[in-house]
Amino acid sequence: MPRLRFLLLALCLAPACSETAVQGSTTDTTDTEVTTSGASEAGSEGPPTSTAGASCGDGVVDPGEACDDGNAADDDECTSACTLPSCDDGLKDGDEGDVDCGGACAPCPDDSTCKAADDCTSGVCVGTCVGLYASCLELHGWHPNLPDGEYDLDPDGDSVPVKLRCDMVGGGWTEVALDTMDAPSGWSAGTLSSCGALSEHLLGGAGQFGAGAATEKTFSLLGVPHMAVRVIADVVIIDSWEGETLRLEIDGQPVASGVCSQGIAGSCGTVDHQCGDPQYKEGKLELNGMIDLPGDSATIRLSSTLDQGPEDEAWGIDTVSVRVK
């Protein structure tokens, strides 16, 4: 009997009794291989389009998102809510100047923020949309840092804008007329001519405005509220000026004058011969004068003290600017 027990014990220590440990080891290895295999197969299919942790702003267009640019900004092609900009989403997004206005949307009302003049109903943007004012002076009073340029104004208060040029640096003058003599009309004397590099379009000139010559025109002031009128006239002198005077009047009152002479270097900006008699040089003089005048129109008159005929000495008008304030 003792011998039999010894044999049974020996059989128990044989491979049959160690089988359980080997399976356990084999089972662990198999589990690891399955996990590794699963990761490898997922990797071969590329990154997923959505994960359990997906959110707007992660740069991935997940289900339910119209876009996702990976940032929280609204002023680009995708909003912070991962929707496309629209004109009725209650956001200042895309190229809008303010919430749901400006840019590709309808223009913004007064006092809205803006990026450009087209963002505003008034057509005036200074960081905010400003309203329609009756004059450049009024606009200048509310926005003193605006530069010179064209602005929409409403002189008669009918809410229909009129685009006029404003001299803001000069204090808010409104230019109501600019006659460049391209096709002069309304002047009492003078026809179209030219004077080389000094003027391609000149009213009067050589052979026209000599001793005793004058010309005038009445300009409408467009209903712009004002108390004063300013006129700036560029006049070309031609041939043998000898200390003689150009004169500017507004409604019969002298407001500016200038003396020119061929014998004084640089007098009236004299340059090389441009028109008229080849032995003389021509030049250009600016006459700038103003007058208190609250009326609806202004009559501008130019003349000189020349004492010879237009074949010997003459003048002509290049441009006339009429401004009110």
Side-chain angles (χ1 to χ4, degrees):
M1 290 295 293
R3 184 182 181 115
L4 179 58
R5 289 178 183 171
F6 177 81
L7 290 173
L8 289 174
L9 180 60
L11 289 172
C12 187
L13 293 174
C17 292
S18 63
E19 181 66 22
T20 300
V22 172
Q23 284 183 339
S25 180
T26 302
T27 300
D28 292 342
T29 303
T30 302
D31 288 344
T32 303
E33 290 175 351
V34 170
T35 303
T36 303
S37 174
S40 175
E41 290 175 2
S44 66
E45 295 175 358
T49 58
S50 178
T51 66
S55 63
C56 178
D58 61 7
V60 178
V61 180
D62 299 304
E65 296 178 347
C67 57
D68 194 327
D69 55 7
N71 64 56
D74 286 323
D75 57 352
D76 53 21
E77 297 303 315
C78 185
T79 73
S80 58
C82 288
T83 58
L84 297 174
S86 70
C87 297
D88 57 1
D89 57 10
L91 296 172
K92 179 182 176 182
D93 48 24
D95 63 351
E96 296 173 358
D98 208 326
V99 176
D100 294 339
C101 67
C105 303
C108 299
D110 296 350
D111 299 322
S112 303
T113 60
C114 56
K115 300 175 182 177
D118 290 343
D119 286 342
C120 305
T121 301
S122 66
V124 181
C125 171
V126 291
T128 59
C129 294
V130 301
L132 289 173
Y133 295 97
S135 68
C136 298
L137 179 61
E138 186 178 7
L139 177 59
H140 179 70
W142 285 98
H143 304 279
N145 295 322
L146 286 176
D148 294 346
E150 288 189 337
Y151 295 91
D152 283 328
L153 301 176
D154 185 17
D156 55 10
D158 63 358
S159 298
V160 178
V162 177
K163 194 173 291 294
L164 295 173
R165 183 166 183 80
C166 294
D167 176 7
M168 292 303 199
V169 176
W173 290 91
T174 305
E175 186 174 69
V176 294
L178 177 62
D179 198 336
T180 59
M181 307 303 167
D182 292 347
S185 63
W187 291 93
S188 63
T191 59
L192 186 64
S193 68
S194 64
C195 190
L198 287 174
S199 178
E200 295 181 358
H201 305 94
L202 194 67
L203 178 69
Q208 294 190 57
F209 291 163
T215 189
E216 64 181 43
K217 178 179 178 177
T218 299
F219 290 86
S220 168
L221 304 182
L222 305 183
V224 176
H226 67 280
M227 293 301 295
V229 176
R230 178 185 295 278
V231 174
I232 302 174
D234 286 331
V235 185
V236 175
I237 63 166
I238 301 168
D239 292 341
S240 61
W241 283 67
E242 298 172 347
E244 290 155 309
T245 303
L246 278 166
R247 298 179 298 202
L248 170 66
E249 300 175 13
I250 303 175
D251 273 18
Q253 297 190 42
V255 295
S257 63
V259 177
C260 298
S261 177
Q262 285 283 343
I264 301 176
S267 173
C268 296
T270 51
V271 297
D272 291 336
H273 168 69
Q274 298 293 315
C275 59
D277 191 326
Q279 67 179 312
Y280 296 109
K281 298 178 179 180
E282 281 65 53
K284 183 178 285 188
L285 174 68
E286 179 187 279
L287 297 176
N288 187 333
M290 61 170 289
I291 184 177
D292 291 337
L293 185 68
D296 296 329
S297 64
T299 299
I300 313 306
R301 186 175 191 271
L302 289 110
S303 62
S304 76
T305 61
L306 294 180
D307 57 5
Q308 298 182 58
E311 292 78 16
D312 296 315
E313 49 191 15
W315 57 274
I317 307 171
D318 183 51
T319 60
V320 171
S321 170
V322 182
R323 308 176 184 188
V324 298
K325 180 179 178 180

